[in-house]
Amino acid sequence: MLRPKEVVFQWVDAFNRQDTEAIAGLYHEDAVNHQVANEPVAGREAIRAMFAAEFAMADMTAIVENIFEDGQWAILEWRDPLGLRGCGFFHVVHGKILIQRGYWDKLSFLKQHNLPLE
């Protein structure tokens, strides 16, 4: 069974390939992904749909700065090629992501990708 840090490395790899199937496969069926700038998304299928919509909207890349692991948790500190920085907290149970929380500046992201401001 994969350790939390290993799951996050797989997550980053799938994210950078924009592979929604591979990303969804890393989550528990009843997982919750809460990017705190947005409403929480519950369930593997809803998470898959969220990533598909986001990848259709913007070209995103996560460059790993640090990955820390403590028990069932892994923390990813990342940046993107445009200079945006953020972090994600991943609660990994039995090799699958059960909870993910992400912290990043949504306004900066929207401006960098020339997307409409909400």
Side-chain angles (χ1 to χ4, degrees):
M1 186 173 329
L2 294 177
R3 293 176 40 197
K5 191 174 186 177
E6 295 167 327
V7 172
V8 172
F9 274 116
Q10 286 189 357
W11 184 93
V12 169
D13 182 57
F15 182 89
N16 288 341
R17 292 191 327 266
Q18 298 188 0
D19 185 340
T20 56
E21 295 303 312
I23 288 174
L26 295 171
Y27 289 88
H28 275 272
E29 187 67 36
D30 57 350
V32 174
N33 183 317
H34 186 192
Q35 300 304 302
V36 298
N38 302 321
E39 290 298 313
V41 176
R44 181 186 298 149
E45 292 309 312
I47 291 169
R48 178 193 327 267
M50 175 194 74
F51 280 110
E54 289 178 353
F55 290 145
M57 182 177 62
D59 183 22
M60 298 180 288
T61 301
I63 300 166
V64 173
E65 294 209 323
N66 289 294
I67 296 182
F68 304 97
E69 180 180 276
D70 185 15
Q72 293 183 324
W73 287 86
I75 304 165
L76 166 66
E77 182 184 21
W78 57 266
R79 64 181 169 84
D80 74 5
L82 301 176
L84 185 67
R85 291 180 177 277
C87 62
F89 291 75
F90 297 78
H91 185 198
V92 178
V93 178
H94 302 300
K96 299 284 184 183
I97 301 164
L98 182 60
I99 299 168
Q100 178 183 354
R101 282 191 307 272
Y103 300 87
W104 45 276
D105 180 0
K106 187 172 185 176
L107 181 59
S108 294
F109 174 83
L110 294 172
K111 287 179 177 178
Q112 287 174 339
H113 291 278
N114 297 313
L115 295 170
L117 304 180
E118 295 178 348

